[in-house]
Amino acid sequence: MALDAATLALTAAELESQLAEARVDKIHQPTRDEVLMLMRGRETGSQRLLISARVGSARICVTGESYENPVTPPSFCMLLRKHLNGGKLLRVRPLAGDRIVFFDFLCRNEMGDLVYNTLAAELMGRYCNLVLVRKPDDAPMEELCAAQLAAAKGEKPPAPKVVDALKRVDFEDSELRQLLPGLAYTLPPRPDNLDFITAPVGDILSAVRASDSPLPDALRRAVGGVGPVICRELCHRALGAAAEKPADTLSAAEWAAVEDAIAGIRADFAAGGKPCLVLKEDGLPAEFSFTPLTQYLPGLSLREYPGFSALLEGYYAEKDRVERLRQKSKQLRKTVANLLDRAVRKQAARTRDLADSGKSDGLRQKGELLTANLHAFQRGDAEVTLQSWEDGSDVRIQLDPRLTPSQNAQRYFKEYKRKQTAAQMLAGLLKQSATEIAWLETVLYEVDGAVGEAALSEIRAELKGQGYLKYYKQRDKQQKPAGFLRYRSSDDFLILVGRNNAQNEKLALKTARGKDLWFHTKNAPGSHVVVMSEGADIPLATQNEAAMLAVWHSSQKNGAKIPVDYTEVKNIRKTGDLPPGMVLYEHYETAYITPEPAVIERLAATEEAAEGGKAKRGGG
């Protein structure tokens, strides 16, 4: 579900108790829709405040997640750093009944004067936005906006001004409300419905009593501040199995039960809420709210959280991690896919040219016929018909009237030699095209499997090294590369897996030695896998586990009985014409493997335990 106004208000109250008087130490913008602030307080220490304006997962919370930041900060991030760095957070104030939260800061401007800046987090569905506002004084934002609108004549009172917005809104986007630098900040128009938390219960019941719609739908249209899940929960608590009953058919006793259910949910809100997450059977989150959602029992399970930041992290963490990476990899994937498509089209064109060059024997035969029959035609003739030596049939040969008979014959010989030379070159170019396509397929696989900005940065560096992307010295700062993926076999052998082509090449040609065993899925994009033998014989069980890892880290992950080539590392070699990650090997064997997720998890867990044990012994 989306974050509703009631849950957002409780979250804001929690954040104010945690972060009030804290100062802004650092500001980052991990993605285009998220801002991360490192807040430092005297008593609370350092905490990271996440403000997300991403459609579908908008929220505010203190986060423990780690975020990879872009090498070059976006312009909105630089703007926030300029105006908010070092500022003190005075308060976190939600706008009653709406999904807007104001973060008020006391800051110093370029001249050293104290100024009041507000970061407005507008988390309203597809209109999510972050707006930095300069206020004339410390008055609440809603009062300043109301005073501005109430000034009917004369000089208007000082109004809060928009410094800038994450998503600028001009007159073409909205005629009612623009968010552009220098314009007055105004509140968005409010819908004409009742606030579920503050409106009198009698007014709410009167608004839905005459509706012939199911009670949850009637409530959803009549009240604001809560989402559909709360309306359904209210009806479930009041009516149980009859929750979908039309509103105009309810009895007096049922309306009394509805009134009690409203009072119960309001009581939970007044007490600070009971953060609750609904979990599916597979453990994935389904819904969340500030009150226990009993409507999902007993089919699903409920989990209570100590606070709203933890609740929102529990619900959105995995979803956001996937979406964040998708955003970062989207453009790179499009680029690689275009390169691959171009390479495939180029190979098809060369294949057609090679087929045409195979017809060159007819040119040679025509040249020989012309040479043997120079007396049969003369300059100015457009064509000549001669008898074939092979079967005696007539052969019509086109001539260039401007050339002599001898020159016409030589023209056919030259065209024959040109096509023969082209055929030889095309054979080499087709081999290069096949190598390029295979390499680009591995790069595309790497992009789809990348797990962070560091991995994407390494892929970009690989493309730049091969001349597919431009290199900008000032902008392309290097990120620390990630290490190999590490696993521990059931026989206690270390198994290393490359994350990308650069790591694959390093692993196979520099890290591994001699009798270490190398594995790779046959004729498919995937990672190089090496079992580090340490001079010992590698048992069959470990070989099977390494082969399974090779399939798991390849494009054939979901297949069955996948062929995997394996050989000793000493049989691996590379020539200068091969792109990164591609090698040649000989004296190999092939195994047919079906990957098992449980085995992969066990191998990873065994290596983590081994590393943990080493760290513990080192610390002791």
Side-chain angles (χ1 to χ4, degrees), residues 369-390:
L369 281 174
L370 291 175
T371 301
N373 296 277
L374 293 176
H375 62 281
F377 60 99
Q378 58 188 352
R379 185 197 292 264
D381 291 343
E383 66 176 34
V384 64
T385 301
L386 301 174
Q387 192 174 38
S388 172
W389 295 334
E390 295 179 354

Side-chain angles (χ1 to χ4, degrees), residues 1-2 229 232 276-279 285-289 293 296 311 315:
M1 63 169 279
V229 67
R232 294 196 302 269
C276 171
L277 184 66
V278 180
L279 297 176
E287 291 283 2
F288 69 90
S289 185
L293 299 175
Y296 293 100
L311 170 69
Y315 183 81

Side-chain angles (χ1 to χ4, degrees), residues 459-475:
I459 295 171
R460 292 189 193 98
E462 185 179 343
L463 289 168
K464 289 168 186 171
Q466 295 300 302
Y468 290 96
L469 296 180
K470 292 182 179 180
Y471 178 77
Y472 298 95
K473 186 174 181 181
Q474 297 298 324
R475 192 167 66 191

Side-chain angles (χ1 to χ4, degrees), residues 159-190:
K161 298 288 186 181
V162 174
V163 178
D164 209 343
L166 178 66
K167 306 169 188 176
R168 292 183 177 179
V169 180
D170 58 20
F171 292 91
E172 292 183 359
D173 298 321
S174 173
E175 295 181 358
L176 298 176
R177 182 173 182 253
Q178 294 78 44
L179 295 173
L180 295 172
L183 296 184
Y185 179 82
T186 59
L187 296 176
R190 297 285 295 271

Side-chain angles (χ1 to χ4, degrees), residues 23 62 139 142 245 275 399 580:
R23 291 191 177 274
V62 171
E142 54 269 33
K245 195 173 181 181
L399 303 175

Side-chain angles (χ1 to χ4, degrees), residues 302-492:
L302 304 183
R303 177 187 296 171
E304 293 188 3
Y305 280 81
F308 285 95
S309 288
L311 170 69
L312 296 175
E313 284 291 277
Y315 183 81
Y316 286 114
E318 183 60 29
K319 176 183 177 182
D320 264 12
R321 193 177 296 115
V322 174
E323 176 63 19
R324 195 175 299 116
L325 187 60
R326 187 195 67 79
Q327 281 190 14
K328 291 182 177 180
S329 64
K330 182 178 180 181
Q331 185 58 44
L332 183 59
R333 192 190 193 287
K334 182 180 178 181
T335 299
V336 177
N338 288 340
L339 291 171
L340 178 58
D341 181 63
R342 186 175 67 182
V344 170
R345 285 188 281 106
K346 185 164 57 177
Q347 187 188 44
R350 288 172 174 172
T351 301
R352 289 193 299 269
D353 291 343
L354 183 60
D356 291 340
S357 66
K359 304 174 183 178
S360 59
D361 284 345
L363 297 172
R364 178 180 57 81
Q365 292 172 0
K366 289 180 179 179
E368 291 173 348
L369 281 174
L370 291 175
T371 301
N373 296 277
L374 293 176
H375 62 281
F377 60 99
Q378 58 188 352
R379 185 197 292 264
D381 291 343
E383 66 176 34
V384 64
T385 301
L386 301 174
Q387 192 174 38
S388 172
W389 295 334
E390 295 179 354
D391 55 9
S393 61
D394 290 342
V395 178
R396 179 177 294 180
I397 303 174
Q398 300 296 322
L399 303 175
D400 188 340
R402 298 169 299 177
L403 302 179
T404 65
S406 177
Q407 289 173 335
N408 267 299
Q410 291 302 315
R411 181 169 69 92
Y412 276 97
F413 282 125
K414 287 180 181 179
E415 184 65 15
Y416 166 72
K417 289 181 180 180
R418 188 185 70 80
K419 286 189 175 291
Q420 286 290 302
T421 303
Q424 295 175 0
M425 294 181 62
L426 284 169
L429 290 173
L430 280 172
K431 184 178 179 181
Q432 292 178 12
S433 294
T435 301
E436 180 185 23
I437 289 171
W439 178 74
L440 287 171
E441 286 176 345
T442 65
V443 175
L444 190 63
Y445 164 75
E446 290 173 8
V447 174
D448 290 337
V451 293
E453 178 62 30
L456 294 174
S457 179
E458 290 181 5
I459 295 171
R460 292 189 193 98
E462 185 179 343
L463 289 168
K464 289 168 186 171
Q466 295 300 302
Y468 290 96
L469 296 180
K470 292 182 179 180
Y471 178 77
Y472 298 95
K473 186 174 181 181
Q474 297 298 324
R475 192 167 66 191
D476 296 341
K477 300 178 182 178
Q478 293 294 322
Q479 290 203 5
K480 183 179 179 180
F484 302 123
L485 294 172
R486 300 167 65 91
Y487 296 88
R488 183 71 57 172
S489 77
S490 56
D491 299 305
D492 202 32

